[in-house]
Amino acid sequence: MASAPSDDLFDQFLADRGHETEPVRWDRSYNKLQCPDCGALHDMGAATCSVCGWVPEA
């Protein structure tokens, strides 16, 4: 029975086909965090976007 492919191999497979494999995190705009989905600005301590509900990946 074959073993499951490693995460690195799977990430490379996705990257070769144009998919992003890095975790999505907050963008930064001066001293604020900016949601990458809707563009809303939040204080530096924000854990989720209060506009669209987006949550950064770990």
Side-chain angles (χ1 to χ4, degrees):
M1 181 170 186
S3 63
S6 70
D7 287 339
D8 292 337
L9 182 61
F10 189 63
D11 285 348
Q12 185 62 46
F13 174 83
L14 291 174
D16 289 346
R17 285 151 183 83
H19 298 277
E20 289 189 28
T21 57
E22 295 296 317
V24 180
R25 296 193 172 90
W26 293 104
D27 293 331
R28 295 194 185 261
S29 180
Y30 297 99
N31 62 343
K32 299 282 188 178
L33 297 176
Q34 186 171 16
C35 176
D37 277 357
C38 71
L41 294 174
H42 301 284
D43 290 330
M44 295 300 282
T48 63
C49 178
S50 60
V51 175
C52 70
W54 177 83
V55 179
E57 296 178 15

